[in-house]
Amino acid sequence: MANIKSAKKRIKVIDKKTARNKRVKDHVKESLRAFEDAMASENLDEASKKLVAAEKELKQAASKGTLNKHAVSRKVSRLTKRFNAAKAAK
């Protein structure tokens, strides 16, 4: 345990940031899971809506610094590519 006042404050700040990051990542995972479920059921209308929601969640996480913006861009690109391939196959 820290003895210095500033070190104690840093511990509190880190705990808050960790909690926020965990919350944001949980929301991202939920939206990705919803998209995966829609793709698995081959419901492209619902998958389209879930893709937009997942992209929004991912970009918000990147803007807050929780996720790396390049990693988010890559994920969005791959999700969109999968969705477009499924749409073209129908």
Side-chain angles (χ1 to χ4, degrees):
M1 184 64 199
N3 290 323
I4 299 171
K5 188 175 182 180
S6 61
K8 289 178 184 177
K9 181 180 177 186
R10 291 306 307 160
I11 290 170
K12 285 183 185 178
V13 170
I14 289 169
D15 286 344
K16 283 183 186 177
K17 285 186 176 185
T18 301
R20 189 181 101 211
N21 287 343
K22 184 172 174 5
R23 217 173 27 252
V24 169
K25 285 182 182 181
D26 285 345
H27 288 298
V28 168
K29 286 177 189 174
E30 283 176 18
S31 63
L32 290 176
R33 203 172 300 121
F35 173 73
E36 295 294 334
D37 291 343
M39 288 294 287
S41 67
E42 297 180 2
N43 186 351
L44 294 181
D45 292 334
E46 187 180 336
S48 174
K49 294 174 186 173
K50 300 297 182 182
L51 176 63
V52 171
E55 185 175 348
K56 182 180 176 184
E57 288 285 343
L58 283 164
K59 289 189 176 185
Q60 282 179 341
S63 72
K64 298 297 178 189
T66 301
L67 299 175
N68 186 288
K69 68 179 184 175
H70 298 297
V72 166
S73 179
R74 184 176 63 244
K75 282 180 195 272
V76 168
S77 175
R78 288 178 181 170
L79 291 173
T80 306
K81 192 175 177 183
R82 262 188 60 208
F83 175 74
N84 289 337
K87 197 162 85 171
K90 281 239 172 183

